[in-house]
Amino acid sequence: MRGRKRKFVKHRCNERSTAPPNVVSDPKRKRSVSPSKQREKTALTMLSLLPEMLEKILFNLSATDVVSFGATCRYFHELSLSQAVWKRLYWRQFIGPALNNKDVNWRRFTILKMSQGLAMQRLNKGVRPIGLHQQHARARRPTGVHLFNSSLALGFRRVEAILEQTLLWDYNGTIFALITPIGRAPWSRPYSYSVLCYRAIDFAVDPRWNHNLRHYIYVLTLGESSGKLPESVGNPGSVGDTVEVFEWDTHERVCYISFHSTIFFTQLRLSGSENRRLILLLTDDGIVYSAHLNETMYSRRTSYTTELTPKTVSCQLPNLPVKQLHTSSNSTVYIKADGSAFAEVHSPGALRQLFGTYEGFNPIGAEMVYPLRLPSRVVKCSLGPNHLCLLDNCGRIFMQGCNHHGQLGTGDKIDRTEPTLVIIPMAPVNVWCGLNHTLVLLEAECGDKQVHGCGCGSRGRLPGHLGGSSVFVRLKVQVPRHASSLYSSSDFLYIICCHDITEPPARFYIPPEVTALKDAEKKQKEEIEKLHMDLTQMKRCVSTKRGIKMLQRAVNEHMTGLSPAHKDFLDSALSIILHGESRSTEEPEQQPHA
């Protein structure tokens, strides 16, 4: 019995002293695990796969899934940038133009193809009273916004309106002509389109606001014809960049301008009237050339020679090449490589509207260049008939020119002779100046986009604000998420949808006036809290004398906004009340002794 009891006690002690099964009691003694069992314990993950296997998996995914896959980690992001993957996605999902160049960025072109589109909204030119039956009929109709897309296009980048046609230019150099008749219903789609020209570097039309005056289309091409032109015009052959002029209705080439093969142009703009049309050409070196043409000579079909001369802005500042050209009917804006902007005015009326004076204008025809002084670099610009808008690299908008209709968005109708900062609620993506109004495409932090406008609202220029506005207000426009630029005509509002990964994103800038307003509101809240605490302490006071002293201290500390005279008057009045209160308390105590 004793032996059994001792064994039982010893067994219980051993049970208490033993460690859990998965904790090793002796660190010196470790169990060796076989390699086969160790492989069974390790789990198979995506990171353990070879890069070739991951690429084959990505071949079977969509473009959105590939982008989501690359957002997980740095290693997967490098795999998602593979050109082989994006080339496979492009040819599998889209039917578009042939891209056989070895230097093609397939990721950029695929995203351009996915996000391309053109949103068109008809502008309401007036408000008419309608009955109940008309209200129900209008409620059943589709919306006035519709999208246009083409399988032959590769990312839309610019749009222009000519009478009943709309010109659309893509990143592949193809210009499409959409037929959008004015008499059709606002919810119907354009029923046909044709290709005007291939391999276009740039194109331009008459910059005047009246679209009925736009009879010719100027296209800057790579030197080869589109192949769909009549043989009577002639074959340009292997020459340098060329300018081809087309009629707007028949799309027939009526003029052909050739240049030397050693000169390469990047931008084409027009200015002036029909009798003295001014063509501005920007080379890849940043030099601006000009030539004068007479459009009345196009009907004669005769050849003549014109002189191509460099502009004054390139001769005066040869070390600063020009990067952008913006023209109107009587003025031109040049943006240099360092972000500086210069304006050139061709008429005294335009000089008066932009700079508020007639001084400095030479009627003989000498070119006068005026600098536009801004504190930062100019990124984008839009030039209207009588005002201009500049967008800098900090996300700020500067307006200058005529402000008779409030088109500058400054809150008044006073003209500005210098670039003036205008406060906007969100980050600007693109700007556009019309006849007497201005439109801005804005982007919120969440990625949603809106269209704001100011100026004259007649003829439906500002949807939802027929009376106009002197500040930027939100318009009733349906804006897609991939909107990149906007353009307006007398009948339609166009929004180009395209996402280019090479362009920098919009900068979110908060103007200093907004921050100062927020700081003032914060200080005001703090003052209100302090005054509320003083009031609660004054309510707890038993004597009136102590309450008046606390009121004097609150006036001296918190009411700093009062003028010195008002502050002295209030302090003196409180001291008089305090002395009067003290006298009234002392008089009843002295009467019994008398």
Side-chain angles (χ1 to χ4, degrees), residues 116-179:
Q116 71 179 10
L118 178 65
M120 294 176 284
Q121 178 173 342
R122 181 178 288 274
L123 301 178
N124 297 323
K125 297 185 178 181
V127 178
R128 298 179 180 178
I130 58 177
L132 293 177
H133 63 284
Q134 294 179 352
Q135 289 181 0
H136 293 299
R138 183 172 295 183
R140 292 192 297 268
R141 294 176 181 174
T143 59
V145 178
H146 56 274
L147 294 173
F148 169 78
N149 206 337
S150 175
S151 59
L152 301 177
L154 181 63
F156 300 135
R157 58 191 302 181
R158 190 176 159 206
V159 62
E160 289 281 352
I162 298 179
L163 292 176
E164 296 184 358
Q165 293 186 9
T166 301
L167 301 179
L168 196 59
W169 179 41
D170 68 345
Y171 282 87
N172 199 32
T174 307
I175 299 178
F176 299 90
L178 283 68
I179 300 177

Side-chain angles (χ1 to χ4, degrees), residues 83 86 136 163 176 232 252 265 293 369 386 389 416 438 455 482 485-486 506 517 525 528 537 564 578:
Q83 292 294 322
W86 289 101
H136 293 299
L163 292 176
F176 299 90
S232 59
E252 180 183 358
F265 299 104
L293 296 175
V369 179
N386 52 21
C389 180
R416 299 297 193 276
T438 306
H482 298 296
S485 62
L486 72 166
L517 183 61
K525 289 181 180 180
I528 291 173
Q537 291 179 3
L578 183 61

Side-chain angles (χ1 to χ4, degrees), residues 15-57:
E15 278 183 324
R16 292 178 181 177
S17 62
T18 54
N22 43 355
V23 178
V24 181
S25 59
D26 191 0
K28 296 182 181 180
R29 298 178 62 185
K30 296 182 180 180
R31 295 181 180 180
S32 60
V33 182
S34 61
S36 60
K37 293 183 178 180
Q38 188 174 4
R39 292 173 184 173
E40 293 177 358
K41 291 182 179 180
T42 57
L44 185 65
T45 61
M46 291 285 291
L47 293 172
S48 60
L49 298 177
L50 296 176
E52 293 81 4
M53 299 178 65
L54 291 174
E55 282 190 358
K56 291 184 178 180
I57 295 174

